[in-house]
Amino acid sequence: PFFVNRGGLPVDEPTWERMWRHVGRIHPEGDLVAQRIRGAADLPKIPIPSVPVFQPSTPIPERLEAVQRYIRELQYNHTGTQFFEIKKSRPLTGLMDLAKEMTKEALPIKCLEAVILGIYLTNNMTTLDRFPISFKTHFSGNYFRHIVLGVNFGGRYGALGISRREELMYKAPVFRTLSELIFDFEEAYRRCWHTLKKVKLGHCVSHDPHSVEQIEWKRSILDLDKLTREDFRKELERHARDMRLKIGKGTGPPSPTKDRKKDVSSPQRGQASPHRRNSRGDRRPSGEKKPADSKAMPDLNGYQIRV
């Protein structure tokens, strides 16, 4: 049923071609099966999950439940074929275009696709902080990887996502600390006979769907084989504190424009506090290049205003 066009909506040719090639590889008469499906006119229409729409008064927890319900209705992709190609290095605006395509095609998804879709569907929830959480586990001689979208609302942590296991996807935002949330995932893995080996935490994702910034997927990499239980907890809370500080300063994820701005001091600051400027230059190997940067300052500032 995953190869049936949901509700008669058109699916782009590359996606269909990937499906048919996969069928041809694993089925003795795969090409004939594909042709029969494509030519069938009496196939039942599969209901299309409706993208959630919210009233301004809808509380954030209820919105998160609706988003998770939508992700779950798309179903987990058990076919072995990746329907959507996601490159983590793509800018956020490109990933949001891909998420919009997911909502149109309504095909089954996997965990990384669910994270991108979760970001897309929560972009208008500006009081909600979103950040990726990746897990690496070990079971029966093999390593497994999984990712969810961590959320923080009102100081409470939770998660959005999809998995084969019910306990490894949605977590309501009820955890007081980030460590409580991660320990809950660890316990869920333990019930599945998996041993948690590594946790990777990203920084908060911008709410601007047109941002050209890249998602910071692994700001903190925590290896449980090298950390005691208490050190693991401390590192988790340190990461949570760093995210709060960054949000408190009114800055989002690092962008090329902001990085350049840090390297060039303004004319006013340069005239008022030369000693401070020099001390900053001492800490940077490229300090002696500042005069050259200051000459290009008018054009650079103009560029920043346009962005």
Side-chain angles (χ1 to χ4, degrees):
F2 295 148
F3 299 141
V4 177
N5 196 352
R6 289 178 182 259
L9 284 180
V11 178
D12 68 318
E13 191 65 18
T15 302
W16 280 110
E17 289 301 329
R18 288 197 298 271
M19 296 179 193
W20 305 139
R21 286 198 300 269
H22 181 72
V23 171
R25 285 196 302 268
I26 65 175
H27 195 283
E29 300 178 351
D31 293 336
L32 295 177
V33 173
Q35 291 174 12
R36 284 199 299 269
I37 294 176
R38 299 182 85 167
D42 57 346
L43 292 175
K45 288 187 177 182
I46 298 178
I48 305 174
S50 300
V51 178
V53 178
F54 308 108
Q55 297 295 328
S57 58
T58 305
I60 293 296
E62 291 185 16
R63 298 189 187 193
L64 292 177
E65 289 181 6
V67 169
Q68 180 62 43
R69 188 161 51 249
Y70 173 78
I71 292 174
R72 192 194 309 266
E73 288 174 354
L74 290 178
Q75 303 179 29
Y76 188 87
N77 180 6
H78 294 277
T79 66
T81 299
Q82 192 77 26
F83 295 149
F84 305 97
E85 183 182 7
I86 296 180
K87 296 181 179 179
K88 290 184 175 181
S89 59
R90 289 187 68 182
L92 186 59
T93 178
L95 293 174
M96 294 302 95
D97 289 341
L98 184 58
K100 189 175 181 179
E101 181 184 346
M102 292 183 204
T103 62
K104 289 182 178 179
E105 296 189 359
L107 292 169
I109 58 176
K110 291 189 176 181
C111 57
L112 182 56
E113 295 158 307
V115 168
I116 301 303
L117 195 55
I119 294 173
Y120 174 74
L121 295 174
T122 57
N123 270 336
N124 60 349
M125 306 179 197
T126 55
T127 57
L128 182 74
D129 302 325
R130 300 90 45 85
F131 57 97
I133 307 174
S134 303
F135 302 97
K136 179 181 179 181
T137 61
H138 183 264
F139 170 72
S140 188
N142 296 310
Y143 289 95
F144 300 85
R145 288 169 175 82
H146 181 49
I147 187 169
V148 297
L149 181 65
V151 296
N152 181 5
F153 173 70
R156 301 282 174 161
Y157 291 88
L160 297 171
I162 198 167
S163 171
R164 295 180 181 90
R165 297 281 187 171
E166 184 73 22
E167 58 269 35
L168 295 176
M169 37 199 293
Y170 176 65
K171 304 287 184 183
V174 297
F175 298 90
R176 295 176 300 173
T177 63
L178 178 59
S179 58
E180 287 186 6
L181 172 65
I182 300 301
F183 291 159
D184 187 81
F185 271 106
E186 183 182 27
E187 178 60 28
Y189 270 119
R190 189 177 292 113
R191 291 195 296 269
C192 300
W193 305 99
H194 279 238
T195 302
L196 186 60
K197 290 294 185 181
K198 279 187 180 180
V199 176
K200 297 179 182 179
L201 302 163
H203 245 307
C204 293
V205 181
S206 170
H207 284 270
D208 180 7
H210 307 294
S211 172
V212 296
E213 299 168 353
Q214 294 179 348
I215 296 176
E216 193 169 3
W217 297 96
K218 45 184 180 181
R219 176 77 172 190
S220 299
I221 303 176
L222 308 181
D223 190 336
L224 275 68
D225 290 335
K226 298 179 181 179
L227 295 171
T228 65
R229 189 71 173 177
E230 182 60 21
D231 289 339
F232 182 41
R233 185 191 64 78
K234 288 180 179 179
E235 287 298 316
L236 291 171
E237 295 313 314
R238 180 194 60 78
H239 183 86
R241 184 171 60 253
D242 289 348
M243 287 195 296
R244 288 196 300 270
L245 289 175
K246 197 164 189 176
I247 296 169
K249 291 178 181 178
T251 58
S255 65
T257 303
K258 293 180 180 177
D259 289 341
R260 286 195 296 268
K261 188 175 180 180
K262 291 178 182 178
D263 291 338
V264 181
S265 55
S266 64
Q268 292 81 1
R269 171 176 280 186
Q271 295 169 4
S273 54
H275 177 71
R276 184 173 184 182
R277 182 188 65 216
N278 292 338
S279 63
R280 270 198 328 214
D282 294 340
R283 293 197 299 269
R284 299 181 181 178
S286 60
E288 44 281 339
K289 294 184 181 179
K290 283 184 179 293
D293 292 341
S294 61
K295 292 179 182 178
M297 194 180 311
D299 293 338
L300 181 60
N301 288 338
Y303 172 76
Q304 292 173 347
I305 292 173
R306 287 197 297 273
V307 172

